[in-house]
Amino acid sequence: MQHRFPPPFRLPRWATHVTRQVGRSLRSDEDRMRFVIELASMNVINRTGGPFAAAVFETRTGRLVSIGVNVVVLTGCSLAHAEMVALANAQHTVRHFDLGAAGIPRHELVTSSEPCAMCFGAIPWSGIRRVLCGARSSDAEAIGFDEGPKPRQWITALKQRGITVVRDLCRREAVAVLQQYKQRGGIIYNAHRES
Amino acid sequence: MQHRFPPPFRLPRWATHVTRQVGRSLRSDEDRMRFVIELASMNVINRTGGPFAAAVFETRTGRLVSIGVNVVVLTGCSLAHAEMVALANAQHTVRHFDLGAAGIPRHELVTSSEPCAMCFGAIPWSGIRRVLCGARSSDAEAIGFDEGPKPRQWITALKQRGITVVRDLCRREAVAVLQQYKQRGGIIYNAHRES
């Protein structure tokens, strides 16, 4: 329905071989989450961004539609959180700005850490109907990241819009990647807190 | 500090002559807002997206740094709200993911309508220190748009992070563009509300 522009956010070079896996099916929630946690770890090891990754899957078939990693520093763009990159890439693949449009399969977002205020706000517009989260926001905060001004009742707010949230999926493995990042002295950049 | 990737979101063709104005100074808040409202009107007239526009200025000098219009349908990307496009383009121009970084001038976001939940969440990460709004969210809702799950105390939440919000700047003129869009039968796309 739209012109074929390139996807908004570039992925790091190492991700090229991962994007070749688009179309592959991962059946269980845990398989999908472990795939995403592995991506987050690769982003840390390759020093291409924050310790966060995400992917969009077709819910029923488990078909991988897109991946995203945090490329804020790499691309010089504060919007380039893992979830935003995965959503934009999925919409590029599906060729529609609404992943919940009539006539296309239901889609879900799998993210290695709970979404920040921006990514939370992006979810209802994206057409995603289910969100699977690994680490909690409190885990990301424990290594110094800030989730921003997200409503306390964010899961309820999504539920009211027909979006299901699953938390704590492979949480321990997801937290390990956050700690790996901290141990390697990764940059902790944050929203401003004072004037 | 980062590679020179192209900016994430493409602007419509008609905007090319407007982007040539980057670097120009607009001294007063009202001048900056009228410039943005004119952009929103051009997006309606050219049928290139929703009736929303934004721009980033240097606060002190009024120097125009970037523009953005809603290009969700045009680019097939639900993230491409006017504010997001303007922020990404400003970071591209400044070559930094943080518009509030040390050593660069203070920046402000001027938006024809109050930010939705996603754009609100994006503001603290962007480094913007001041937000000027034309129409209220309730004005956009009056023609059928949805602002998403934004915290009720959003202005306070930004203030706590050192970001000042100015509302109702040229509100009547901003609302006229929303109504122009509705009268022309523009697409009203929204976040999903039910499962």
Side-chain angles (χ1 to χ4, degrees), chain B residues 107-182:
Chain B
H107 288 91
E108 64 187 33
L109 177 70
V110 183
T111 175
S112 64
S113 280
E114 288 175 352
C116 78
M118 169 178 68
C119 299
F120 158 73
I123 289 167
W125 298 106
S126 70
I128 283 289
R129 309 306 283 270
R130 188 166 181 250
V131 183
L132 309 181
C133 309
R136 293 220 174 191
S137 295
S138 55
D139 299 326
E141 285 167 355
I143 65 155
F145 281 102
D146 173 12
E147 68 169 353
K150 191 165 70 169
R152 202 171 295 171
Q153 302 299 322
W154 65 279
I155 293 177
T156 307
L158 292 180
K159 199 173 176 186
Q160 282 164 351
R161 289 159 188 273
I163 303 161
T164 310
V165 176
V166 177
R167 298 174 100 174
D168 299 336
L169 195 63
C170 312
R171 181 178 178 187
R172 196 183 305 178
E173 293 149 71
V175 169
V177 177
L178 299 176
Q179 287 169 347
Q180 180 188 26
Y181 184 75
K182 194 185 177 189

Side-chain angles (χ1 to χ4, degrees), chain A residues 14-132:
Chain A
W14 60 261
T16 311
H17 84 274
V18 187
T19 53
R20 286 197 201 107
Q21 297 187 46
V22 165
R24 172 189 171 195
S25 281
L26 291 170
R27 294 289 170 164
S28 76
D29 287 354
E30 288 75 12
D31 285 349
R32 297 174 200 178
M33 181 56 79
R34 288 204 178 97
F35 172 82
V36 165
I37 292 170
E38 175 65 21
L39 276 183
S41 178
M42 287 166 75
N43 208 32
V44 173
I45 291 165
N46 288 283
R47 297 187 184 279
T48 40
F52 305 108
V56 172
F57 291 91
E58 287 179 8
T59 293
R60 195 182 59 79
T61 62
R63 188 175 163 274
L64 175 65
V65 178
S66 71
I67 64 164
V69 289
N70 177 298
V71 285
V72 167
V73 176
L74 184 72
T75 62
C77 181
S78 65
L79 314 180
H81 287 197
E83 297 94 322
M84 305 295 266
V85 175
L87 292 174
N89 282 340
Q91 292 169 348
H92 187 259
T93 300
V94 169
R95 298 192 182 209
H96 202 296
F97 62 84
D98 182 0
L99 297 169
I104 63 171
R106 283 187 172 226
H107 288 92
E108 64 186 32
L109 177 70
V110 182
T111 175
S112 64
S113 280
E114 289 175 353
C116 78
M118 170 179 67
C119 299
F120 157 73
I123 289 167
W125 297 107
S126 70
I128 283 288
R129 309 304 284 270
R130 188 166 181 247
V131 182
L132 309 181

